[in-house]
Amino acid sequence: MKHHRTGASRQATAAPRHAPRQVRIIGGQWKRTPLPVMDAEGLRPTPDRVRETLFNWLDHLLDRDWHDLQCLDLFAGSGGLGLEAASRGAARVLMVESQPAAARQLQAICDKLKADQVEVRRGDALATAAAMAQSDTRFGLIFLDPPYHQNWLQRMLPLCERLLTPGGLVYVEAEMALDTAPLPEWLQGWQLLRSDRAGMVHYHLFTLQPAA
């Protein structure tokens, strides 16, 4: 499948100097629920309009069938991605967050929403993913939205390959476009399904290329 760019968000706008104080859940049972954003280094919530486009893509690819989906949010931050998936009916969402205060805030939000299908795990994303890759734990959708300029994608995508169910999807947010040739070596084996840009945010949806 060729990757697709949506026309509406091609026009880049200047990135805000500071993260917004809150984002909101866009769809599902908790629609319009605000999610506070902590002022913490490296915490960069996915903008509402980017998540709206992403979840439109996912609704289309999943045929709006979320009820059996196991999701992993490796850099959970404000919880906007993982909680959006849970709001839409994902069976399970594991949110991993290394910052103690942010993890506590995520747990408080889940408790308030009675989000029993969501697990908040405080820990390092790389170590957590590596440990799960050694087990039989697999996910149909992985959110990968790490801090920029720290080479996280090169380290995380090989682990995501081992954590995906067959046909699973990985959402990747980056400071640069990942759809330009030649692709870096660490993207070999991945197939780009969708990509777009909003301001300084480049976002992509990948799946593993089928085995030859």
Side-chain angles (χ1 to χ4, degrees), residues 8 69 76 88 140 146 178:
L69 197 64
R88 292 167 188 251
L178 302 178

Side-chain angles (χ1 to χ4, degrees), residues 19-138:
R21 293 188 176 181
Q22 68 177 32
V23 294
R24 63 186 175 88
I25 295 177
I26 295 177
Q29 64 175 318
W30 304 317
K31 184 177 180 179
R32 298 190 182 92
T33 298
L35 302 174
V37 176
M38 297 187 64
D39 183 13
E41 183 179 357
L43 191 61
R44 188 198 65 256
T46 301
D48 288 351
R49 71 186 180 112
V50 171
R51 282 185 295 110
E52 184 169 14
T53 299
L54 166 63
F55 280 86
N56 284 341
W57 293 346
L58 292 171
D59 275 341
H60 174 73
L61 292 168
L62 298 170
D63 198 24
R64 297 184 182 273
D65 185 7
W66 291 83
H67 75 280
D68 285 331
L69 197 64
Q70 305 277 325
C71 302
L72 174 62
D73 189 354
L74 280 166
F75 297 85
S78 66
L81 293 167
L83 287 170
E84 187 76 43
S87 180
R88 292 167 188 251
R92 179 194 178 211
V93 178
L94 173 58
M95 298 198 295
V96 181
E97 175 53 48
S98 63
Q99 298 190 31
R104 287 194 297 270
Q105 179 173 274
L106 283 172
Q107 188 61 61
I109 293 169
C110 292
D111 292 344
K112 181 178 180 181
L113 294 174
K114 295 181 172 59
D116 296 334
Q117 74 274 50
V118 180
E119 177 188 349
V120 177
R121 187 175 298 180
R122 177 187 163 190
D124 175 77
L126 187 65
T128 301
M132 289 191 296
Q134 300 300 318
S135 69
D136 293 329
T137 306
R138 297 293 181 267

Side-chain angles (χ1 to χ4, degrees), residues 189-191 207-212:
W190 291 95
Q191 178 182 355
T207 191
L208 286 169
Q209 292 178 356

